[in-house]
Amino acid sequence: MLILTNHDVSNILLNLSSEQVRQLLNSLGKTLSLYSKEQLSNEPKCLHQPHRSNIVTKHNDTTLVMPSSDTTNTGVKIVTLPHNGSATGANLVIEPTGAVVGMLNAAEVTAFRTALTIMTLFARVTHIHKKNIICFGSGRQVEWHIRLALLLAPTEVQNIVILNRGQSRLDQLEKDAIASLRTRYPQVDFRLVSREATPDFDALVQLNLSLADVVFCCTPSTEPLFPFRDLASSPKPRFISAIGSYKPHMQEIDTETLLSGGKIFVDSKDACLQESGELITANVKPDQLAEIGEFLASDGSPGIPSTGNIVFKCVGMGIMDLVISRGLLDIADEAAIGQTVARF
Ligand SMILES: NC(=O)C1=CN([C@@H]2O[C@H](COP(=O)(O)OP(=O)(O)OC[C@H]3O[C@@H](n4cnc5c(N)ncnc54)[C@H](OP(=O)(O)O)[C@@H]3O)[C@@H](O)[C@H]2O)C=CC1
């Protein structure tokens, strides 16, 4: 069995070829389709989703325990979401026999699999330009949204604006990731702007939202990051995703933005109706939602409007960690990355 540290996982993820990313995207899409198919069927369910246990730790952080299975691989993710900082924990993958395939540090996998889930739709939306991207946040999630958008739409993206409350995390992001992306994608203009260091921040947000084709929201905000009127002042079809708010009291986009497309795309209807502050605030009903797995299974246009905004809300499921963890363990095995230990 293989043990992958966070360093090993980052090493693999940062060196993925476009082809490998597309393979992982396909595997993720197939698994999400399987999940959605099961939700619609009356047959007994084999995928144990989107169940999760929330444990409040003695430091008042949340530890999530997320079991999942695609019936070939079974896994469990145990991860703590600290008040400040990225998710930390481990993903375990076992075979149908019970043999352990491996264990991975979950931090980077979590950010990657969430961004990749957003990309399952981003990559298929053709009526929306991808020239101007605006991101809210400055953590691992933002970094992976940007990396994957550039990998999947390298000739379309021209401007990326990253907006954050504080300056220090932006400085870190510039140093850790954006500096090398500037060299790798010289045609792309990257701007990192914080509220803390920018006196006219709100005006700048307004201007960039009016230009934006794509809006990635990646913060645990408890109130909308921008008002819908900032988008409405310059109407055009946009791709808007929100992955940061994962509890009922959290909200990254307001109700008007949420409802500004046709149906709202979600990773899981059940999970989003229970957990997404945006959906709960807007009192959204199941028939206003389109599950991404249903759309991907149809492999084409049904369910996707050819005009207007595409809004995608994702709260995350263990099945995403499982399929990506298995894929990464296979890549690691082939590339002799990680530590092999005897199965117990
Ligand atoms: N949907 C899913 O499947 C998953 C979602 N998540 C969630 O995604 C979000 C981003 O994750 P990650 O990048 O790892 O997180 P980080 O903690 O690394 O980054 C969070 C970012 O959000 C900003 N932020 C924090 N609070 C607020 C607020 N109240 N208003 C506006 N901005 C705020 C922080 O700004 P500053 O630098 O100023 O502090 C920081 O830039 C988190 O909420 C996380 O829980 C995580 C895993 C999976």
Side-chain angles (χ1 to χ4, degrees):
M1 82 186 221
L2 258 182
I3 308 282
L4 300 181
T5 63
N6 205 34
H7 178 266
D8 295 329
V9 175
S10 297
N11 182 13
I12 296 168
L13 292 177
L14 290 173
N15 291 299
L16 288 176
S17 64
S18 310
E19 184 49 35
Q20 284 173 314
V21 169
R22 284 186 191 279
Q23 277 168 9
L24 291 171
L25 194 68
N26 272 345
S27 308
L28 181 61
K30 279 189 187 144
T31 307
L32 289 169
S33 297
L34 201 62
Y35 163 71
S36 292
K37 196 172 156 202
E38 254 200 20
Q39 297 304 301
L40 294 172
S41 126
N42 294 323
E43 301 294 312
K45 306 215 180 320
C46 297
L47 307 189
H48 190 45
Q49 288 290 306
H51 179 80
R52 65 175 67 156
S53 301
N54 283 15
I55 296 163
V56 178
T57 68
K58 65 179 183 181
H59 304 299
N60 220 18
D61 294 326
T62 304
T63 296
L64 301 174
V65 182
M66 300 161 69
S68 61
S69 176
D70 61 8
T71 70
T72 305
N73 298 293
T74 295
V76 63
K77 169 180 180 170
I78 304 179
V79 71
T80 295
L81 305 172
H83 279 98
N84 213 347
S86 297
T88 314
N91 297 344
L92 181 72
V93 180
I94 66 170
E95 287 176 343
T97 57
V100 179
V101 182
M103 189 162 72
L104 303 73
N105 186 302
E108 208 70 5
V109 180
T110 300
F112 177 81
R113 64 76 152 143
T114 314
L116 198 68
T117 301
I118 295 302
M119 296 301 139
T120 58
L121 189 55
F122 176 86
R124 285 171 192 243
V125 170
T126 49
H127 73 280
I128 291 177
H129 296 294
K130 291 160 184 162
K131 182 177 163 194
N132 300 317
I133 297 184
I134 181 166
C135 308
F136 287 91
S138 62
R140 310 306 304 144
Q141 297 282 355
V142 159
E143 181 180 325
W144 277 109
H145 277 67
I146 292 171
R147 285 188 185 282
L148 290 173
L150 286 168
L151 261 175
L152 295 167
T155 56
E156 292 175 75
V157 181
Q158 289 182 20
N159 299 296
I160 298 183
V161 180
I162 306 165
L163 301 165
N164 195 47
R165 287 184 317 189
Q167 182 61 37
S168 67
R169 295 282 301 274
L170 280 182
D171 293 340
Q172 195 63 44
L173 184 65
E174 169 70 39
K175 195 164 142 255
D176 292 347
I178 305 299
S180 69
L181 291 175
R182 287 183 202 279
T183 312
R184 187 160 163 196
Y185 300 96
Q187 76 282 13
V188 178
D189 183 44
F190 294 88
R191 286 190 69 194
L192 287 71
V193 187
S194 73
R195 177 178 290 283
E196 187 185 343
T198 315
D200 57 350
F201 185 77
D202 288 330
L204 195 135
V205 173
Q206 216 173 331
L207 171 69
N208 281 290
L209 279 166
S210 72
L211 299 172
D213 302 300
V214 175
V215 183
F216 293 140
C217 301
C218 306
T219 75
S221 186
T222 49
E223 52 191 62
L225 295 161
F226 56 86
F228 176 66
R229 64 171 177 275
D230 288 355
L231 300 176
S233 65
S234 173
K236 60 171 165 171
R238 294 181 168 96
F239 182 93
I240 302 165
S241 63
I243 60 91
S245 46
Y246 60 93
K247 286 190 177 174
H249 72 281
M250 294 177 169
Q251 200 181 355
E252 293 186 285
I253 55 177
D254 62 15
T255 296
E256 279 174 292
T257 305
L258 182 75
L259 303 177
S260 65
K263 291 200 173 187
I264 305 154
F265 284 90
V266 291
D267 52 344
S268 155
K269 289 183 185 176
D270 282 358
C272 283
L273 286 167
Q274 277 178 38
E275 296 173 8
S276 156
E278 286 93 353
L279 268 60
I280 292 166
T281 303
N283 197 19
V284 161
K285 302 286 179 254
D287 64 2
Q288 291 174 271
L289 305 177
E291 212 163 69
I292 185 69
E294 277 178 54
F295 165 70
L296 295 172
S298 70
D299 196 27
S301 46
I304 195 160
S306 55
T307 56
N309 290 347
I310 299 291
V311 179
F312 190 1
K313 175 73 210 174
C314 166
V315 292
M317 290 190 285
I319 199 89
M320 300 168 181
D321 297 286
L322 178 66
V323 63
I324 297 304
S325 294
R326 179 67 213 232
L328 296 181
L329 284 166
D330 289 345
I331 293 172
D333 191 29
E334 239 174 67
I337 295 173
Q339 191 190 348
T340 309
V341 298
R343 282 181 168 162
F344 45 80

